[in-house]
């Protein structure tokens, strides 16, 4: 069998995997994924149909497997098996508690369809991979909180939460959730708050109760990255005087935290930021190099940093 037919066989098999894993697959998306023409994808789909695979759909719309059609378990390559082991280790350390148990049962199902040789591979190597997390996990006060949030996004239904703010105030919010993300050792969600009529960011471990309502979303939302750049539009100007010898270590993060200006002075580098995360994210980032920085403005940030340092020192 020549190289051309081997590539086609690999591609056709991969297309079948795509059909098994998604409700509908567009020919254009497959063409981009496998870097071939759309016409080639049409021929590959025809090859699957000729092999007896019942594919529903047609060129120009999308393809899916006929409802109820079952295929034998997918076989994994050695490289894929090794990636599963690494991903499982990461999930054990960094996943939210409400997701970890579900991932563990999912991995058990994956392991059940592996060849014996791959099962032996896992047994031999899983204890040789170490993932170290120095931030202890927070215990869940609510069972399945992230799955509940994700269900509300998928079903486009509002949720009602009780939330404890950074100042220990408790408020009730009716939300339309855009998405969730992990940052600075915590899980967050971005949602449209019907009380504030604006987008807000919430730390998930501060949610005291959550209820999925029957009320549908009142509007459509884009991807989470569209909102993370500007979660509420209320920006605070921050000016720091930073020791020049630490500047090189801030090259990537300083842009993320809203750097707008940077100039050299006799006493150091003066950096100006416009940030939406003045209450939480920015102070926690600043504390990582605070021994090399002075706050020029705003004045209240100095108090915020003092409070944060006091909290940290209690854990020492």
């Amino acid at each position: 069998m020549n190289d051309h037919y081997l590539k086609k066989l690999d591609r056709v098999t991969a297309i079948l995997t795509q059909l098994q894993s998604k409700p509908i697959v567009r020919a254009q998306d497959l063409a981009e994924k496998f870097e071939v023409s759309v016409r080639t994808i049409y021929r590959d789909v025809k090859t699957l149909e000729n092999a007896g695979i019942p594919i529903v759909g047609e060129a120009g719309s999308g393809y899916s497997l006929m409802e109820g059609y079952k295929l034998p378990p997918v076989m994994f390559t050695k490289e894929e098996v090794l990636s599963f082991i690494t991903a499982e280790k990461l999930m054990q350390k960094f996943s939210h508690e409400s997701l970890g148990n579900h991932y563990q049962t999912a991995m058990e199902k994956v392991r059940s369809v592996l060849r014996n040789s791959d099962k032996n591979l896992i047994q031999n190597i899983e204890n040789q991979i170490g993932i170290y997390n120095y931030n202890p996990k927070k215990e869940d006060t609510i069972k399945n909180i992230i799955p509940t949030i994700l269900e509300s996004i998928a079903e486009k239904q509002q949720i009602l939460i009780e939330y404890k703010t950074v100042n220990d105030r408790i408020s009730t919010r009716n939300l339309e959730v855009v998405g969730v993300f992990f940052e600075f050792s915590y899980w967050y969600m971005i949602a449209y708050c019907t009380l504030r009529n604006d987008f807000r960011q919430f730390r998930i471990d501060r949610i005291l109760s959550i209820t999925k309502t029957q009320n549908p979303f009142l509007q459509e939302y884009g991807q989470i990255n569209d909102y993370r750049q500007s979660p509420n539009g209320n920006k605070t100007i921050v000016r720091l005087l930073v020791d020049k010898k630490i500047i090189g270590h801030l090259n990537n993060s300083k842009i993320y935290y809203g750097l707008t200006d940077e100039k050299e002075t006799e006493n150091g580098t003066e950096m100006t930021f416009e940030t939406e995360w003045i209450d939480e994210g920015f102070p926690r980032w600043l504390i990582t190099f605070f021994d090399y920085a002075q706050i020029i403005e705003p004045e209240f940030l100095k108090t915020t940093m003092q409070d944060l340092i006091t909290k940290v020192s209690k854990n020492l």
Side-chain angles (χ1 to χ4, degrees):
M1 185 178 293
N2 61 37
D3 186 59
H4 168 75
Y5 287 106
L6 284 174
K7 288 182 178 179
K8 179 176 181 178
L9 179 61
D10 289 341
R11 189 174 62 248
V12 169
T13 302
I15 290 173
L16 181 57
T17 300
Q18 292 288 306
L19 290 168
Q20 288 180 267
S21 61
K22 297 180 180 179
I24 191 165
V25 181
R26 297 192 316 136
Q28 181 64 41
D29 295 336
L30 291 172
E32 292 175 1
K33 179 178 179 63
F34 299 111
E35 299 180 345
V36 296
S37 68
V38 174
R39 187 178 296 274
T40 297
I41 296 298
Y42 293 158
R43 289 197 293 264
D44 291 342
V45 171
K46 192 66 177 177
T47 298
L48 287 170
E49 290 176 330
N50 292 338
I53 306 298
I55 297 176
V56 180
E58 57 185 26
S61 57
Y63 300 106
S64 61
L65 289 177
M66 182 181 293
E67 186 71 27
Y69 180 72
K70 302 295 182 182
L71 289 168
V74 175
M75 290 295 103
F76 301 104
T77 66
K78 182 185 299 183
E79 291 77 14
E80 289 168 339
V81 172
L82 291 172
S83 71
F84 288 152
I85 303 172
T86 307
E88 185 175 19
K89 292 287 184 177
L90 286 168
M91 285 293 290
Q92 289 170 355
K93 290 293 183 181
F94 293 102
S95 71
H96 192 271
E97 185 177 342
S98 62
L99 296 174
N101 292 337
H102 298 294
Y103 185 84
Q104 184 177 359
T105 57
M107 279 301 301
E108 288 171 356
K109 293 177 181 178
V110 170
R111 289 171 185 252
S112 71
V113 300
L114 295 177
R115 295 182 291 259
N116 286 335
S117 59
D118 291 334
K119 292 176 183 178
N120 291 334
L121 177 66
I122 289 179
Q123 186 174 357
N124 292 334
I125 205 169
E126 62 183 346
N127 292 328
Q128 309 308 121
I129 301 174
I131 305 294
Y132 304 104
N133 179 15
Y134 297 101
N135 297 294
K137 289 184 180 180
K138 302 288 184 180
E139 288 189 5
D140 274 348
T141 56
I142 305 171
K143 185 178 180 180
N144 288 336
I145 184 169
I146 289 185
T148 300
I149 293 170
L150 296 179
E151 284 177 14
S152 78
I153 298 172
E155 298 169 4
K156 297 184 178 181
Q157 290 180 322
Q158 296 176 357
I159 59 172
L160 188 68
I161 68 169
E162 283 191 343
Y163 186 75
K164 180 187 287 188
T165 68
V166 68
N167 299 319
D168 290 333
R169 296 175 182 172
I170 298 176
S171 63
T172 301
R173 302 294 186 94
N174 196 69
L175 306 174
E176 298 181 0
V177 185
V178 175
V180 299
F181 66 94
F182 182 80
E183 187 176 56
F184 305 118
S185 301
Y186 293 100
W187 281 92
Y188 297 84
M189 72 174 176
I190 293 177
Y192 181 81
C193 177
T194 60
L195 175 65
R196 305 298 186 193
N197 292 320
D198 203 353
F199 293 94
R200 290 291 188 269
Q201 183 170 297
F202 300 88
R203 218 173 80 181
I204 286 176
D205 65 305
R206 290 188 179 144
I207 297 175
L208 303 178
S209 69
I210 183 170
T211 304
K212 193 170 63 174
T213 74
Q214 297 301 313
N215 301 326
F217 282 8
L218 301 178
Q219 56 185 312
E220 294 288 332
Y221 301 102
Q223 299 179 358
I224 188 171
N225 286 340
D226 300 333
Y227 300 89
R228 282 196 63 210
Q229 300 303 318
S230 181
N232 55 42
N234 299 320
K235 294 184 178 181
T236 300
I237 303 297
V238 177
R239 290 173 57 227
L240 306 175
L241 184 64
V242 181
D243 193 318
K244 294 179 182 179
K245 64 184 177 183
I246 198 68
I247 294 297
H249 298 283
L250 307 178
N251 282 339
N252 295 323
S253 57
K254 65 184 181 183
I255 302 298
Y256 178 79
Y257 284 96
L259 181 73
T260 59
D261 187 49
E262 185 176 279
K263 60 183 179 182
E264 300 290 335
T265 71
E266 292 182 0
N267 298 320
T269 302
E270 187 175 308
M271 307 175 74
T272 303
F273 300 83
E274 291 185 8
T275 179
E276 300 95 351
W277 302 294
I278 193 63
D279 293 328
E280 184 72 20
F282 193 91
R284 290 187 177 279
W285 173 66
L286 177 56
I287 203 173
T288 62
F289 62 97
F290 197 38
D291 50 336
Y292 293 98
Q294 298 178 32
I295 298 172
I296 301 173
E297 65 168 320
E299 191 68 24
F300 72 82
L301 182 56
K302 296 179 182 179
T303 303
T304 301
M305 296 304 297
Q306 288 174 351
D307 292 343
L308 182 57
I309 290 170
T310 299
K311 289 181 181 180
V312 171
S313 64
K314 290 180 180 179
N315 295 327
L316 298 178

